Amino acid sequence: MGAETSSLESIQELRKTTSFDEDELIAFYKEFKDDYPEGKVNMAEFKTLFTKFFPLGDAEKYSEHVYRSFDGNRDGAIDFKEFVIGLSILTRGDLERKMRWAFDLYDLDGNGFISITEAEEIINTVYKMMSSIVKIRKSSTCVAVEMFEKYDTNQDGRLSFDEFVQGNRKDSTFVKLLQCEPGTV
């Protein structure tokens, strides 16, 4: 009974921090526990799960970046809470939450800034994932350069979160790119 009560309390807590209702969270939890009885998803399992959503492209590297962004406590595994919070942001998050998630995804080294190299890496992984279903019009380098030309307002060669947010308010191409919207590549 203790673990069940604890799970129900967690569901109530997640109702407050996600965009899912109680029924959805309970259904997600049951499926998560069926698929991952240990209560955690490792990188290999996540890659397998993620590539099911993008079977025609090479989603392996991008899934590593998404995995890193979901692993909030950086313990090398994604538990149910981390999974459902990430899923909520991606599927139902408002623009601000999606921009925070996107910024953290681009910020590969976690230093609080996006370098042009980091932007190019993320853009390249999205391209690999979508290349079999969408015609790529520009190189990842070209797109990263365009991003910096538009967003790097103080021209210091790196993007702060504020520059990223302001840039995306004017042109949301780079958040849409992470959401794999075909018209953005």
Side-chain angles (χ1 to χ4, degrees):
M1 178 71 180
E4 189 174 314
T5 301
S6 175
S7 296
L8 291 175
E9 289 170 0
S10 295
I11 295 292
Q12 294 306 315
E13 179 185 321
L14 288 170
R15 280 192 66 220
K16 296 173 188 170
T17 58
T18 70
S19 301
F20 299 121
D21 64 34
E22 186 172 349
D23 291 338
E24 290 171 313
L25 289 166
I26 290 170
F28 288 148
Y29 183 75
K30 287 178 182 176
E31 189 172 340
F32 189 88
K33 286 301 279 183
D34 286 346
D35 292 344
Y36 310 103
E38 304 283 323
K40 299 209 179 233
V41 179
N42 65 37
M43 176 75 79
E45 292 166 327
F46 189 80
K47 282 182 184 180
T48 300
L49 173 68
F50 198 84
T51 55
K52 287 179 185 177
F53 293 104
F54 298 95
L56 301 176
D58 180 359
E60 186 170 332
K61 191 67 177 172
Y62 187 70
S63 69
E64 290 175 12
H65 295 306
V66 173
Y67 185 88
R68 176 184 46 79
S69 75
F70 275 33
D71 184 12
N73 63 4
R74 305 291 185 247
D75 68 350
I78 298 172
D79 61 24
F80 177 71
K81 181 179 178 181
E82 291 169 324
F83 182 79
V84 80
I85 288 172
L87 188 62
S88 176
I89 291 168
L90 292 179
T91 61
R92 298 183 183 170
D94 60 22
L95 185 58
E96 290 295 320
R97 289 189 82 190
K98 285 182 180 181
M99 283 195 287
R100 170 47 73 186
W101 176 82
F103 182 85
D104 291 344
L105 189 75
Y106 276 106
D107 182 15
L108 296 174
D109 63 9
N111 70 352
F113 295 94
I114 300 171
S115 70
I116 197 162
T117 305
E118 289 170 322
E120 186 178 358
E121 163 69 19
I122 296 299
I123 294 163
N124 193 44
T125 62
V126 171
Y127 276 13
K128 284 182 179 178
M129 186 172 56
M130 298 187 64
S131 64
S132 65
I133 56 174
V134 175
K135 183 178 181 192
I136 306 299
R137 298 185 306 253
K138 299 177 184 174
S139 73
S140 57
T141 301
C142 179
V143 173
V145 167
E146 285 179 10
M147 177 185 204
F148 272 72
E149 287 172 352
K150 291 178 181 179
Y151 290 19
D152 188 13
T153 56
N154 65 3
Q155 299 181 343
D156 66 353
R158 60 187 192 166
L159 300 180
S160 67
F161 180 66
D162 288 340
E163 287 174 313
F164 186 77
V165 168
Q166 293 307 314
N168 274 294
R169 285 196 174 129
K170 294 175 189 167
D171 173 19
S172 61
T173 300
F174 303 101
V175 170
K176 288 179 181 178
L177 180 69
L178 295 177
Q179 295 171 323
C180 305
E181 293 183 16
T184 60
V185 292

